[in-house]
């Protein structure tokens, strides 16, 4: 007997940089043409001199490839471009891993037959500007995965992460007769692993310089660049930012052809006349780290000084701030009481923390759709829970309610809540309850 398949329409919804972007897959039983849409750009985006000059670049999405793997084998795939729609044919009750590839063109021919091959799937950046396949035209490449079983209602969210980092450079020059004349990012890795850690292996992995050159007529100020992931690790023993240099460190010199860096030129006049160019290798800190990680914001502050002009340390004072994000799952209510024969529906919040140099500075909460969660209870004889987080009391006793969620590019996170099931007519602490019991009929 052939399995009955349900057609799944697709809607894409994009959020601001740093938080996870989301692709929503409505879970319905009929074929519906759902348009692909994108939100407005983040309001805090500063003006940029990057060649990725589209003001919507942080949230722009123009095309999506979806792949559904069942039992480790490719079962279904589809591709669509904005503003068109796409459908996937999935079998109800079958467990899938669904993978999303955003802004990479039609990747169906590159999809491996086996799920295990996704770790080595490669996307090669064809161009930054000038052609229809460029990042500036398509948008920033993004990817993500979920474990998914087709249900009867609701929707499913696939969180995706950007494969580019955001590098903000604050530049200043404070001596007479000198000005910043050129700023650009060089050494850009063109081979990205959507489901692995991307790292250039040699100079042939780098985009040609002409593909990402931004210079001429600049001045002191703030500039933003979007830089492909390039995980080059750390070099031991570098404790001073002036030693993060291929001229001062033999290990860095051997790596230089595959490193990403900010290059700034300063034109001077007076006792010294000419142009001095300084290379600042990017990474998680201003000393030993050379990792550029996708979906992470790096803020460089570079100050050029006129003192000690003839010494190697005159060129700049550098400070680096790295903004990262981490999430935690919160269940509401955290503790409650429920009478046998009644139900209670739990709500799961995803709290996203912003960390600056590893310290939590702010957070924001969003309500997760139930289909993005896996629900369970510690004792099914005392209570049961369905796919929407609704718990039904079965017999008296204590149980733990657990929700599980997997953010994009991260391990699964869980949250628990305590629930006391009581018999009808029992005395129980009303302070645990926040209402919402619905009797079963």
């Amino acid at each position: 007997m052939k399995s009955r398949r349900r057609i799944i329409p697709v809607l894409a919804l994009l959020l601001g940089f740093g938080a996870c972007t989301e692709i929503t897959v409505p879970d319905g039983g009929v074929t519906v043409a759902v348009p692909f849409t994108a939100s407005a750009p983040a309001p805090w985006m500063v003006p940029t001199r990057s060649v990725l000059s589209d003001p919507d670049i942080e949230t722009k999405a123009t095309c999506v490839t979806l792949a559904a793997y069942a039992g480790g084998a490719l079962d279904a795939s589809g591709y669509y471009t904005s503003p068109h729609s796409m459908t996937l044919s999935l079998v109800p009750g079958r467990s899938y891993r669904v993978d999303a590839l955003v802004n990479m063109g039609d990747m169906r021919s590159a999809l491996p037959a086996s799920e295990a091959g996704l770790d080595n799937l490669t996307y090669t950046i064809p161009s930054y500007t000038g052609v229809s396949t460029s990042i500036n035209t398509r948008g920033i490449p993004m990817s993500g995965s979920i474990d998914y079983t087709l249900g009867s209602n609701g929707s499913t969210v696939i969180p995706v992460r950007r494969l580019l980092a955001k590098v903000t450079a604050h530049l200043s020059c404070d001596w007479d007769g000198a000005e910043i004349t050129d700023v650009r990012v060089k050494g850009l890795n063109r081979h990205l692993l959507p489901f692995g850690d991307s790292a250039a292996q040699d100079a042939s992995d780098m985009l040609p310089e002409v593909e990402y050159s931004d210079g001429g007529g600049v001045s002191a100020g703030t500039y933003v660049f979007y830089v492909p992931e390039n995980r080059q690790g750390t070099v031991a023993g570098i404790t001073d930012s002036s030693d993060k240099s291929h001229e001062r460190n033999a290990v860095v010199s051997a790596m230089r052809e595959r490193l990403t860096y900010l290059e700034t030129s300063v034109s001077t006049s007076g006792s010294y006349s000419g142009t001095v160019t300084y290379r600042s290798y990017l990474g998680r800190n201003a000393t030993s780290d050379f990792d550029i990680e996708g979906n992470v914001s790096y803020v460089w502050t570079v100050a050029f000084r006129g003192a000690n002009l003839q010494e190697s340390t005159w060129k700049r004072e550098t400070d680096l701030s790295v903004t990262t994000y981490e999430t935690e799952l919160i269940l509401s209510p955290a503790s409650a009481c429920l009478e046998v024969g009644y139900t209670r529906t739990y709500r799961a919040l995803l709290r996203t923390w912003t960390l600056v140099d590893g310290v939590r500075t702010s957070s924001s909460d969003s309500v997760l759709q139930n289909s993005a969660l896996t629900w369970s209870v510690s004792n099914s004889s005392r209570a049961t829970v369905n796919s929407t987080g609704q718990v039904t009391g079965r017999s008296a006793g204590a149980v733990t309610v657990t929700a599980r969620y997997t953010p994009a590019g991260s391990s699964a996170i869980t949250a628990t809540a305590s629930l006391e099931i009581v018999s009808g007519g029992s005395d129980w602490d009303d302070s645990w309850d926040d209402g919402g019991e619905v009797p079963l009929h």
Side-chain angles (χ1 to χ4, degrees):
M1 178 181 294
K2 292 184 177 180
S3 299
R4 296 185 62 188
R5 290 177 177 261
R6 179 172 294 149
I7 303 299
I8 308 302
V10 177
L11 169 68
L13 172 65
L14 300 185
L15 305 180
F17 199 95
C20 288
T21 301
E22 296 179 345
I23 297 176
T24 303
V25 183
D27 184 357
V30 296
T31 301
V32 179
V34 182
F36 176 79
T37 59
S39 73
W44 45 263
M45 182 177 175
V46 299
T48 174
R49 290 226 14 121
S50 169
V51 293
L52 300 188
S53 55
D54 189 325
D56 295 334
I57 197 66
E58 294 186 355
T59 55
K60 182 177 184 177
T62 59
C63 53
V64 179
T65 301
L66 287 186
Y69 287 84
L74 183 62
D75 185 77
S77 64
Y79 172 72
Y80 74 104
T81 58
S82 173
H84 305 292
S85 300
M86 178 192 67
T87 59
L88 279 182
S89 179
L90 303 182
V91 178
R94 179 176 292 177
S95 296
Y96 290 93
R97 166 176 160 164
V98 180
D99 303 282
L101 299 163
V102 184
N103 296 335
M104 302 182 206
D106 189 347
M107 293 287 287
R108 286 176 295 180
S109 63
L111 294 172
S114 171
E115 180 182 327
L118 286 171
D119 291 344
N120 296 317
L121 176 66
T122 301
Y123 170 67
T124 299
I125 299 174
S127 172
Y128 262 66
T129 60
V131 297
S132 61
T133 58
S134 69
I135 288 181
N136 202 48
T137 301
R138 281 180 176 167
I140 292 174
M142 298 176 274
S143 63
S145 304
I146 58 165
D147 294 325
Y148 177 64
T149 301
L150 183 61
S152 59
N153 51 51
S155 60
T156 297
V157 174
I158 306 175
V160 300
R161 62 182 289 269
R162 293 165 180 83
L163 304 184
L164 271 61
K166 181 176 184 175
V167 177
T168 304
H170 300 295
L171 307 177
S172 63
C173 183
D174 65 354
W175 78 84
D176 293 337
E179 63 176 347
I180 297 172
T181 57
D182 189 20
V183 56
R184 65 186 72 197
V185 172
K186 292 185 176 181
L188 300 186
N189 175 32
R190 72 185 310 165
H191 298 307
L192 300 177
L193 300 178
F195 303 105
D197 292 339
S198 305
Q201 300 302 309
D202 52 44
S204 66
D205 288 336
M206 296 303 193
L207 275 164
E209 180 180 329
V210 68
E211 285 290 352
Y212 201 73
S213 176
D214 178 27
V218 305
S219 61
T222 297
Y223 303 93
V224 173
F225 302 93
Y226 299 97
V227 181
E229 183 171 270
N230 190 10
R231 307 289 291 272
Q232 294 295 333
T234 61
V235 175
I238 301 178
T239 58
D240 187 276
S241 60
S242 63
D243 293 327
K244 194 177 187 179
S245 166
H246 62 272
E247 297 169 335
R248 289 169 168 257
N249 187 288
V251 177
V252 177
S253 179
M255 300 168 59
R256 61 184 296 186
E257 289 188 338
R258 62 179 190 267
L259 297 178
T260 302
Y261 58 95
L262 178 73
E263 184 178 88
T264 310
S265 297
V266 179
S267 175
T268 65
S269 60
S271 58
Y272 175 88
S273 180
T275 299
V276 179
T277 300
Y278 190 80
R279 176 182 295 194
S280 301
Y281 288 106
L282 300 177
R284 289 183 172 274
N285 59 42
T287 54
S288 60
D289 193 279
F290 295 82
D291 261 354
I292 297 295
E293 182 179 354
N295 214 51
V296 169
S297 175
Y298 300 81
V299 180
W300 280 85
T301 301
V302 183
F304 294 87
R305 312 295 188 193
N308 303 318
L309 187 59
Q310 304 304 319
E311 297 180 13
S312 59
T313 57
W314 75 269
K315 297 177 182 176
R316 56 88 185 95
E317 295 175 3
T318 303
D319 185 31
L320 172 65
S321 174
V322 179
T323 301
T324 55
Y325 306 88
E326 63 182 30
T327 55
E328 63 178 330
L329 195 60
I330 300 171
L331 284 191
S332 177
S335 60
C337 194
L338 180 64
E339 190 172 341
V340 172
Y342 281 68
T343 65
R344 169 183 293 280
T345 299
Y346 282 81
R347 183 177 67 163
L349 294 176
L350 184 66
R351 177 161 295 166
T352 301
W353 288 95
T354 299
L355 295 83
V356 178
D357 296 335
V359 179
R360 289 180 172 181
T361 58
S362 62
S363 66
S364 61
D365 292 343
S366 60
V367 178
L368 285 173
Q369 301 179 46
N370 282 309
S371 57
L373 301 161
T374 301
W375 295 92
S376 62
V377 292
S378 59
N379 189 326
S380 59
S381 66
R382 293 177 180 172
T384 57
V385 61
N386 65 15
S387 61
T388 67
Q390 184 184 74
V391 177
T392 302
R394 299 297 184 190
S395 63
V399 297
T400 300
V401 180
T402 300
R404 182 177 183 270
Y405 173 70
T406 304
S410 303
S411 301
I413 54 177
T414 60
T416 60
S418 301
L419 180 62
E420 185 73 22
I421 309 298
V422 298
S423 301
S426 300
D427 293 329
W428 48 282
D429 184 359
D430 287 335
S431 66
W432 277 19
D433 176 52
D434 63 357
E437 286 79 13
V438 179
L440 298 178
H441 297 290

